[in-house]
Amino acid sequence: MLPPDDMHPLWFQIGISGWGALGVVIATTVLYLVYTLVMHLLGPRLMSAPSVLSFTLVALFGAIAARAMLGNSPTLLGALIAIATLVVLEALLGRIQDGAAKVLHLRGPRPTVVMVNGQVIAAHLKRRHLQADHLMAMLRRAGIHRVEDAELVILENRGSLTIVRAGEKIDAALLADVDGRRLVPEALIGD
């Protein structure tokens, strides 16, 4: 594509018009909000047991979003505007979430008991958008060689696992905010 006659060729390559800048800000904002929603819904599943498909999904989403953010002809200034918009949105959303959590006493997903005495709690996995085969893969990666060796498994809010192995106990204070705490046998809770 050639630059218009009234535009310097260098500005055509690195600059952006006012309307183009506004388009970058709008596209970046919409795609950031969509991405945030997708990660809120599927993030723990995608991060806890990453597969080739989930990695591909995240990479494709990023490529599509980046292209859509920058518009018809990506430029240096357009990219800088998109990056600045993302930084501002992240800061604003963080403050909004912190404020809403304080006012409404809301929190993100709570750590959740997903296995007790080697038995998977399917309803808790489903609520966190995780399948039993992903949980088993995570247990193998954590060095669990027999299911019964995992006395208690807690899926943390970021997708990692806390595992209490056979013969170990967990402090009651560490279970205070855990969803499904009532399912933990008293024998596993230390003094």
Side-chain angles (χ1 to χ4, degrees):
M1 190 166 150
L2 296 173
D5 291 336
D6 62 339
M7 185 181 285
H8 191 279
L10 183 59
W11 182 252
F12 180 73
Q13 291 296 319
I14 65 170
I16 192 168
S17 70
W19 288 110
L22 180 60
V24 168
V25 169
I26 292 170
T28 302
T29 301
V30 169
L31 290 167
Y32 174 84
L33 294 173
V34 169
Y35 185 77
T36 301
L37 178 64
V38 168
M39 290 309 290
H40 181 72
L41 296 175
L42 300 177
R45 180 178 182 269
L46 291 174
M47 301 313 237
S48 64
S51 65
V52 173
L53 182 60
S54 63
F55 175 77
T56 303
L57 176 70
V58 171
L60 282 173
F61 187 88
I64 291 167
R67 182 68 183 112
M69 285 177 193
L70 297 177
N72 292 333
S73 54
T75 64
L76 175 63
L77 195 52
L80 292 174
I81 291 169
I83 290 168
T85 302
L86 288 172
V87 169
V88 168
L89 287 170
E90 181 64 21
L92 285 174
L93 190 61
R95 287 182 182 229
I96 290 169
Q97 285 177 331
D98 290 346
K102 288 177 184 174
V103 172
L104 302 173
H105 305 290
L106 297 175
R107 295 188 306 198
R110 291 174 43 198
T112 305
V113 173
V114 292
M115 182 183 278
V116 176
N117 294 325
Q119 299 298 313
V120 174
I121 302 169
H124 288 192
L125 281 181
K126 183 177 180 180
R127 200 166 52 225
R128 293 292 301 272
H129 307 286
L130 191 68
Q131 296 175 347
D133 59 335
H134 288 130
L135 175 63
M136 294 303 152
M138 291 171 66
L139 289 171
R140 287 191 300 273
R141 282 195 305 269
I144 299 294
H145 301 126
R146 297 180 321 151
V147 174
E148 58 269 11
D149 288 343
E151 292 280 347
L152 174 66
V153 179
I154 299 169
L155 178 63
E156 300 295 342
N157 59 358
R158 297 275 184 184
S160 62
L161 294 181
T162 296
I163 302 169
V164 177
R165 298 172 189 265
E168 295 178 347
K169 293 185 180 222
I170 188 168
D171 193 312
L174 296 174
L175 295 172
D177 66 336
V178 174
D179 186 18
R181 188 264 180 247
R182 62 179 171 69
L183 299 173
V184 178
E186 290 299 321
L188 293 179
I189 301 173
D191 299 330

